[in-house]
Amino acid sequence: MQASRGILHKQFRLYSSGPTGAPAILTFMQALPSFKLDGQIALVTGAARGLGRAISLALAEAGADVAMGLRDLKADSGLAAEIAARGRRVLPLQMEMTSLEQITSAVDEAVNHFGRLDILVNNAGVAPDNLAENVVEKDFDYTLAVNLKGTFFASQAAGRVMIKQKYGRIINMSSQAGFAALPTESIYCMTKAGIAHLTKCLAVEWGKYNINVNAVAPTFIYTDGTKPVLSDPDFHADTVERIAALHRIGEPIEVAGAVVFLASQAASLITGHTLLIDGGWTAR
C-alpha cells in the first residue's frame, strides 16, 4: 500500500467474466470507499412524497441525475425544482405502479432521455390497514399489485437495461413488517417479506451482470402516510417502546442515507441483502 496526497490507495486485481465466459483480469487503483454518485442516473418510484422524496433528494445531493416515477405527473410536490436547484438533471415520469404499460414506458423514457439507467429505487408501496378476518379481495389485490407485482416488473424493465450495460444497482423497499408481525397489517407484512426474498432471487440471477440488488427495511418513519396512526398518543408511545434500542421514530433522511450507501461503490460487495433500519425493533 502507499499513501498519495493523504489518500490511501491499494492496487489489486478484480476477476470478472469476459465476453467468452473466460475470466478476465482487470487491474486498477482503488481509493478509499466512495459514497458519491457523480454521473449516475437514478429512477425512484413513488418519488413525490415521504421516503421517495427524501431518497430522490439524497441521490441528487450525492451527484446523481434523477428520474422521478410519479403516480400523477402533475403532482410532484415541487420535487423537480428542488433537484434542479442542486444542479442535477431531473425527469418527471408518469408511473402508476399497477400499470405494466406505464412501468415499462417510464423506464424506456428515462433511458432514452439520459442514455442509461444505473440505479433503480423501488420505493412505491401501499399499506391498507385491516384485521385479517376483515380483509377484502380488492385491498388484497391492490396491495400485491403495487408492492410485489409493481416492484418485480419495474426491476425487470430496469434489469434488462442494466444487463446490457453490465452494471446496475437496484434497491427495493421492504419493511421491518417483513420480519416482525404487525397486527392489522397481514397483507402488507406478507408483501414486504416477499420483497426481501425477491431481492435475494434477483441478486443471484443478475450478479453475473455486475448488478447488485438489495433492499432496505425501515421501521415507522415520520411521513404523511404514517401521520394518522402516529398522532394517536397510545399508538405513538407503544411504537417508540417497541423500537427497542433507540426509542424514537425515524426520519425519512435516515432511510435515504442507507439507499445512497447501497447505490454507491462503497457497497460494491453487498448484494441479496435486506438492511434493517428499525432502531433495534427486531433486535429484541
Short mmCIF file of all heavy atoms in Angstrom, two decimals, residues 98 135-147 149 187:
data_model
loop_
_atom_site.label_atom_id
_atom_site.label_comp_id
_atom_site.label_asym_id
_atom_site.label_seq_id
_atom_site.Cartn_x
_atom_site.Cartn_y
_atom_site.Cartn_z
N THR A 98 -49.47 0.08 -10.71
CA THR A 98 -50.36 -1.03 -11.06
C THR A 98 -50.49 -1.21 -12.57
O THR A 98 -51.17 -2.12 -13.03
CB THR A 98 -51.77 -0.81 -10.47
OG1 THR A 98 -52.31 0.40 -11.01
CG2 THR A 98 -51.71 -0.72 -8.95
N VAL A 135 -60.21 -8.47 5.80
CA VAL A 135 -59.58 -8.07 4.53
C VAL A 135 -60.48 -8.44 3.36
O VAL A 135 -61.02 -9.56 3.30
CB VAL A 135 -58.20 -8.74 4.37
CG1 VAL A 135 -57.66 -8.53 2.94
CG2 VAL A 135 -57.22 -8.18 5.38
N VAL A 136 -60.66 -7.50 2.43
CA VAL A 136 -61.47 -7.76 1.25
C VAL A 136 -60.55 -7.96 0.04
O VAL A 136 -59.41 -7.52 0.03
CB VAL A 136 -62.46 -6.61 0.98
CG1 VAL A 136 -63.45 -6.47 2.13
CG2 VAL A 136 -61.72 -5.29 0.76
N GLU A 137 -61.07 -8.64 -0.96
CA GLU A 137 -60.26 -9.00 -2.11
C GLU A 137 -59.68 -7.78 -2.82
O GLU A 137 -58.53 -7.81 -3.28
CB GLU A 137 -61.09 -9.83 -3.09
CG GLU A 137 -60.29 -10.37 -4.27
CD GLU A 137 -61.13 -11.22 -5.20
OE1 GLU A 137 -62.37 -11.15 -5.12
OE2 GLU A 137 -60.53 -11.94 -6.02
N LYS A 138 -60.44 -6.72 -2.89
CA LYS A 138 -59.97 -5.52 -3.58
C LYS A 138 -58.69 -4.99 -2.94
O LYS A 138 -57.71 -4.66 -3.64
CB LYS A 138 -61.06 -4.44 -3.55
CG LYS A 138 -60.67 -3.14 -4.23
CD LYS A 138 -61.79 -2.11 -4.13
CE LYS A 138 -61.39 -0.79 -4.76
NZ LYS A 138 -62.46 0.23 -4.64
N ASP A 139 -58.66 -4.88 -1.61
CA ASP A 139 -57.46 -4.40 -0.91
C ASP A 139 -56.31 -5.38 -1.04
O ASP A 139 -55.15 -4.99 -1.18
CB ASP A 139 -57.77 -4.14 0.57
CG ASP A 139 -58.60 -2.90 0.79
OD1 ASP A 139 -58.72 -2.09 -0.16
OD2 ASP A 139 -59.13 -2.72 1.90
N PHE A 140 -56.63 -6.68 -0.96
CA PHE A 140 -55.60 -7.72 -1.12
C PHE A 140 -54.92 -7.59 -2.48
O PHE A 140 -53.69 -7.53 -2.58
CB PHE A 140 -56.25 -9.10 -0.96
CG PHE A 140 -55.28 -10.25 -1.05
CD1 PHE A 140 -54.79 -10.85 0.10
CD2 PHE A 140 -54.87 -10.74 -2.29
CE1 PHE A 140 -53.90 -11.92 0.01
CE2 PHE A 140 -53.99 -11.81 -2.38
CZ PHE A 140 -53.49 -12.39 -1.21
N ASP A 141 -55.73 -7.53 -3.54
CA ASP A 141 -55.19 -7.47 -4.89
C ASP A 141 -54.40 -6.19 -5.13
O ASP A 141 -53.34 -6.21 -5.78
CB ASP A 141 -56.32 -7.58 -5.92
CG ASP A 141 -56.93 -8.98 -5.97
OD1 ASP A 141 -56.32 -9.91 -5.41
OD2 ASP A 141 -58.02 -9.12 -6.55
N TYR A 142 -54.90 -5.07 -4.61
CA TYR A 142 -54.22 -3.79 -4.82
C TYR A 142 -52.87 -3.76 -4.13
O TYR A 142 -51.87 -3.29 -4.69
CB TYR A 142 -55.11 -2.65 -4.33
CG TYR A 142 -54.51 -1.28 -4.52
CD1 TYR A 142 -54.17 -0.82 -5.79
CD2 TYR A 142 -54.27 -0.43 -3.44
CE1 TYR A 142 -53.62 0.44 -5.98
CE2 TYR A 142 -53.72 0.82 -3.62
CZ TYR A 142 -53.40 1.25 -4.89
OH TYR A 142 -52.84 2.50 -5.07
N THR A 143 -52.82 -4.27 -2.90
CA THR A 143 -51.55 -4.28 -2.16
C THR A 143 -50.51 -5.13 -2.87
O THR A 143 -49.35 -4.73 -3.01
CB THR A 143 -51.77 -4.79 -0.72
OG1 THR A 143 -52.79 -4.02 -0.09
CG2 THR A 143 -50.50 -4.68 0.10
N LEU A 144 -50.91 -6.30 -3.34
CA LEU A 144 -49.97 -7.15 -4.07
C LEU A 144 -49.58 -6.53 -5.41
O LEU A 144 -48.42 -6.64 -5.84
CB LEU A 144 -50.56 -8.54 -4.31
CG LEU A 144 -50.20 -9.61 -3.25
CD1 LEU A 144 -50.77 -9.26 -1.90
CD2 LEU A 144 -50.64 -10.99 -3.69
N ALA A 145 -50.53 -5.86 -6.06
CA ALA A 145 -50.26 -5.26 -7.36
C ALA A 145 -49.19 -4.18 -7.27
O ALA A 145 -48.30 -4.09 -8.12
CB ALA A 145 -51.54 -4.68 -7.95
N VAL A 146 -49.27 -3.35 -6.24
CA VAL A 146 -48.29 -2.27 -6.09
C VAL A 146 -46.99 -2.79 -5.49
O VAL A 146 -45.90 -2.60 -6.04
CB VAL A 146 -48.85 -1.13 -5.22
CG1 VAL A 146 -47.77 -0.06 -4.96
CG2 VAL A 146 -50.07 -0.50 -5.87
N ASN A 147 -47.10 -3.46 -4.34
CA ASN A 147 -45.90 -3.81 -3.56
C ASN A 147 -45.07 -4.92 -4.19
O ASN A 147 -43.83 -4.83 -4.17
CB ASN A 147 -46.29 -4.22 -2.14
CG ASN A 147 -46.91 -3.09 -1.35
OD1 ASN A 147 -47.11 -1.99 -1.87
ND2 ASN A 147 -47.23 -3.34 -0.10
N LYS A 149 -46.05 -6.99 -7.43
CA LYS A 149 -46.06 -7.01 -8.89
C LYS A 149 -45.35 -5.79 -9.46
O LYS A 149 -44.53 -5.91 -10.38
CB LYS A 149 -47.49 -7.10 -9.41
CG LYS A 149 -47.59 -7.23 -10.93
CD LYS A 149 -49.05 -7.37 -11.37
CE LYS A 149 -49.17 -7.47 -12.88
NZ LYS A 149 -50.60 -7.60 -13.31
N ILE A 187 -51.45 -8.42 5.17
CA ILE A 187 -51.16 -8.43 3.73
C ILE A 187 -49.91 -7.61 3.44
O ILE A 187 -49.04 -8.02 2.66
CB ILE A 187 -52.35 -7.88 2.92
CG1 ILE A 187 -53.64 -8.59 3.34
CG2 ILE A 187 -52.11 -8.07 1.42
CD1 ILE A 187 -53.57 -10.10 3.32
#
